[in-house]
């Protein structure tokens, strides 16, 4: 059985964001704590004993405290069920949590060479000694099976594929440590339990639901998809920033080319938005935008939501 725990569903900054007084952040901080969400990450396991994180958010420490499945096993002085971390991009909200995993527990980081190059070029990540923390390159369109700590197979097959997106925001206008050409900065994942054949998709960042993406996702039992913004220009119109969703590498939920329209009619059983920005009105439970999303079959999961496939 493949188990999935949503550790966090929010985009960078979380809900509420430390310096934000927008309506969603204000409500999350005051009358509606149920709106609070940590930054996007999920945990997966095929055997319920060993877990892999998909991305390591800056809120990882808080997420691990809140998730009993990821606590040290009873009776062990030092232990973690976390066997590895699979990175789908190099954004701060996907990699900063690695710095909270620096206390000597061995695990493996799986990432595209472009993302590994970013980690390598930032000496702060050397705090994860390569003696304990192996860095394993993964390739676009090449399925791999992350290993358990004793080297045995995990029973989980992961197929990374290229998704339209941007390289990390902090590299904008700078030379990418891996050079400017080539895909791999933004990956989608198909995650499959080898024993049962059950699978789901994870695309927490996606700038464009292309025909390729749509044909991959058609008929899937479960899809986690980029829900950063409701409208492409919502940060600008709300006076919160100067960037569009597209400018940050994220598709909007709404509109003719948005995620809701693009993924409708594909026969996907469960559709969940992840990486939802605090500016997004669909976070508000009684908003018209939330109703529209729900009527189209979408959920915005609460942190801690567990799904078994
Ligand atoms: Zn806000």
């Amino acid at each position: 059985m493949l188990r999935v725990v949503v550790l966090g569903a929010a985009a960078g900054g979380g809900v509420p964001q430390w310096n934000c007084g927008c309506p969603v952040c204000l409500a999350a901080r005051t009358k509606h704590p149920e709106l609070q969400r940590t930054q996007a990450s999920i945990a997966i396991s095929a055997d319920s004993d060993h877990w892999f994180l998909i991305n390591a958010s800056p809120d990882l420490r808080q997420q691990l405290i809140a998730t009993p499945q990821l606590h040290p096993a009873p009776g062990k002085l030092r232990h973690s069920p976390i066997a590895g971390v699979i990175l789908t991009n190099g954004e701060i909200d996907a990699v900063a949590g690695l710095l909270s995993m620096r206390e000597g527990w061995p695990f493996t980081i799986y990432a595209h060479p472009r993302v590994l190059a970013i980690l390598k070029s930032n000496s702060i990540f050397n705090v994860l000694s390569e003696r304990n923390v192996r860095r394993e390159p993964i390739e676009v369109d090449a399925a791999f099976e992350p290993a358990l700590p004793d080297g045995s197979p995990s029973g989980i097959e992961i197929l990374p594929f290229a998704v339209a997106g941007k390289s990390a925001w902090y590299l904008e206008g700078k030379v990418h440590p891996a050079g400017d050409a080539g895909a791999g900065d933004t990956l989608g994942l198909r995650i499959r339990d080898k024993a049962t054949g059950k699978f789901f998709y994870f695309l927490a960042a996606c700038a464009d639901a292309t025909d390729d993406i749509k044909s991959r996702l058609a008929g899937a039992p479960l899809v986690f998809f980029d829900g950063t913004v409701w409208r492409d220009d919502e940060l600008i119109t709300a006076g919160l920033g100067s960037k569009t969703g597209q400018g940050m590498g994220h598709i909007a939920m709404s509109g003719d080319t948005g995620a809701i329209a693009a993924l409708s009619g594909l026969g996907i059983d469960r559709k969940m938005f992840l990486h939802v920005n605090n500016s997004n009105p669909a976070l508000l439970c009684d908003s018209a935008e939330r109703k529209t999303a729900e009527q189209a079959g979408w959920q915005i999961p609460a942190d801690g939501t567990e799904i078994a496939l």
Side-chain angles (χ1 to χ4, degrees):
M1 181 177 69
L2 191 57
R3 293 173 70 187
V4 185
V5 178
V6 177
L7 300 180
V15 185
Q17 177 178 310
W18 71 286
N19 63 345
C20 191
C22 79
V24 175
C25 288
L26 189 60
R29 210 176 273 122
T30 54
K31 286 185 186 153
H32 294 285
E34 72 278 8
L35 294 177
Q36 293 185 11
R37 282 179 176 73
T38 59
Q39 293 166 82
S41 172
I42 63 170
I44 58 171
S45 178
D47 64 7
S48 298
D49 288 328
H50 302 91
W51 291 79
F52 294 87
L53 306 181
I54 311 297
N55 296 328
S57 100
D59 299 318
L60 182 64
R61 182 178 170 279
Q62 180 184 346
Q63 293 168 340
L64 298 189
I65 292 169
T67 310
Q69 299 91 323
L70 301 178
H71 291 177
K76 295 199 178 171
L77 201 52
R78 282 288 167 91
H79 172 262
S80 170
I82 298 172
V85 181
I86 296 109
L87 302 175
T88 62
N89 64 71
E91 288 288 2
I92 289 171
D93 55 0
V95 304
L98 292 172
L99 300 175
S100 297
M101 300 176 75
R102 65 188 179 281
E103 283 83 9
W105 181 255
F107 66 97
T108 304
I109 298 170
Y110 299 87
H112 191 275
R114 291 183 67 78
V115 173
L116 289 179
I118 293 172
L119 299 185
K120 191 167 184 164
S121 70
N122 282 274
S123 59
I124 194 168
F125 288 102
N126 294 341
V127 73
L128 299 169
S129 147
E130 297 208 30
R131 280 201 314 277
N132 276 333
V133 182
R134 289 195 308 122
R135 301 182 185 186
E136 193 80 35
I138 61 175
E139 294 294 339
V140 167
D141 296 324
F144 68 100
E145 182 171 2
L148 301 183
D150 65 0
S152 61
S154 62
I156 301 173
E157 180 196 76
I158 301 184
L159 176 67
F161 52 93
V163 169
K166 293 230 158 178
S167 58
W169 175 78
Y170 55 85
L171 289 172
E172 205 169 84
K174 304 205 166 55
V175 177
H176 193 296
D180 282 334
D185 283 301
T186 309
L187 298 179
L189 304 175
R190 187 193 67 193
I191 297 168
R192 192 173 76 93
D193 183 335
K194 290 182 77 171
T196 65
K198 298 280 174 64
F199 66 97
F200 71 97
Y201 282 91
F202 177 94
L203 297 90
C206 179
D208 186 10
T210 60
D211 288 343
D212 171 64
I213 299 285
K214 287 192 252 187
S215 65
R216 284 178 192 272
L217 304 189
L222 169 66
V223 171
F224 292 102
F225 202 79
D226 186 341
T228 309
V229 291
W230 178 258
R231 282 170 51 122
D232 188 54
D233 63 354
E234 78 188 25
L235 282 167
I236 298 168
T237 55
L240 294 169
S242 57
K243 285 188 179 283
T244 60
Q246 282 294 314
M248 299 184 292
H250 297 289
I251 192 172
M253 287 184 180
S254 67
D256 293 346
T257 57
I260 291 173
L263 272 60
S264 68
L266 295 182
I268 301 168
D269 275 356
R270 293 185 80 176
K271 294 181 279 193
M272 292 193 164
F273 280 122
L274 270 193
H275 198 270
V276 186
N277 197 54
N278 57 68
S279 59
N280 190 328
L283 274 168
L284 294 167
C285 302
D286 53 358
S287 67
E289 291 85 355
R290 169 67 75 93
K291 283 196 187 73
T292 301
E294 286 180 348
Q295 279 164 5
W298 287 86
Q299 290 172 269
I300 298 177
D303 291 6
T305 298
E306 178 162 355
I307 300 151
L309 290 170

